[in-house]
């Protein structure tokens, strides 16, 4: 939980660092600097703890070497986050933080797959993708509604960003 909180704090501070100026940006930079190092420490602790509690993750990663792309992405994102934050850059720490988050999430999924919820006391009690799957009819209905839902969400996203840019242009004139 602390590592997730720290990762989201870093990402939020990087966003504020990019999008604000003045005292808010100065506070965001200070938070970014502090929580970047907290994130480095917590990542090390969480990684070691994960392999101790769930050794199956390392076994799954080793079984298919392509799965190591996700931890590599997380590691590269974390290293670049440190580098870019120290340089005082604005956009690159946000991108590095996003890469770190995507890499960590991908590493978890790649490490536990085909399990959804691994049991730490008895592997036979683990929930896998087959036992957790919804009926085929429910998945078909979900897919049917997901496609138009994503189209609407993408359209709304584009509307927000184009109207924001248009409002800024009007205020400058």
């Amino acid at each position: 939980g602390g590592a997730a909180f720290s990762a989201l704090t870093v990402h939020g501070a990087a966003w504020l660092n990019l999008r604000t100026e003045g005292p808010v940006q100065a506070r965001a930079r200070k938070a970014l600097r502090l929580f970047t190092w907290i994130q480095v420490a917590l990542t090390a602790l969480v990684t070691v703890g994960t392999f101790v509690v769930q050794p199956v993750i390392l076994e799954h990663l080793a079984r298919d070497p392509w799965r190591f792309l996700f931890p590599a992405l997380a590691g590269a994102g974390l290293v670049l986050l440190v580098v870019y934050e120290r340089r005082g850059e604005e956009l690159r720490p946000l991108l590095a933080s996003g890469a770190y988050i995507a890499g960590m999430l991908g590493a978890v999924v790649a490490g536990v797959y085909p399990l959804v919820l691994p049991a730490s006391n008895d592997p036979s009690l683990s929930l896998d993708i087959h036992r957790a799957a919804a009926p085929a009819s429910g998945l078909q209905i979900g897919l049917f509604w997901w496609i138009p839902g994503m189209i609407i969400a993408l359209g709304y996203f584009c509307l927000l960003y184009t109207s924001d840019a248009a409002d800024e242009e009007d205020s400058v004139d």
Side-chain angles (χ1 to χ4, degrees), residues 20-57:
T20 62
E21 296 174 355
V24 174
Q25 186 182 47
R27 287 194 309 269
R29 282 186 182 155
K30 186 176 179 182
L32 179 60
R33 187 175 305 115
L34 171 65
F35 277 92
T36 293
W37 290 108
I38 291 172
Q39 190 61 39
V40 169
L42 289 176
T43 298
L45 288 172
V46 165
T47 301
V48 170
T50 297
F51 293 146
V52 168
V53 173
Q54 282 297 339
V56 69
I57 291 176

Side-chain angles (χ1 to χ4, degrees), residues 119-158:
S120 58
N121 56 350
D122 183 3
S124 68
L125 299 176
S126 295
L127 188 60
D128 64 15
I129 58 170
H130 304 291
R131 294 193 336 209
S137 61
L139 293 174
Q140 289 171 343
I141 291 169
L143 181 61
F144 176 79
W145 285 106
W146 181 84
I147 292 170
M150 285 296 107
I151 292 170
I152 291 168
L154 182 61
Y156 183 66
F157 178 81
C158 292

Side-chain angles (χ1 to χ4, degrees), residues 1-2 8 49 62 75 84 86 94 112 115 126 131 140 161 166:
L8 294 176
Y84 295 145
R86 290 183 60 116
L94 179 65
V112 298
L115 301 176
S126 295
R131 294 193 336 209
Q140 289 171 343
Y161 275 89

Side-chain angles (χ1 to χ4, degrees), residues 75-102:
L78 194 58
V79 168
L80 290 173
L81 176 63
V82 170
V83 170
Y84 295 145
E85 182 279 321
R86 290 183 60 116
R87 289 184 189 168
E89 296 192 32
E90 293 181 359
L91 175 62
R92 288 180 176 173
L94 179 65
L95 297 175
S97 174
Y100 167 80
I101 292 169

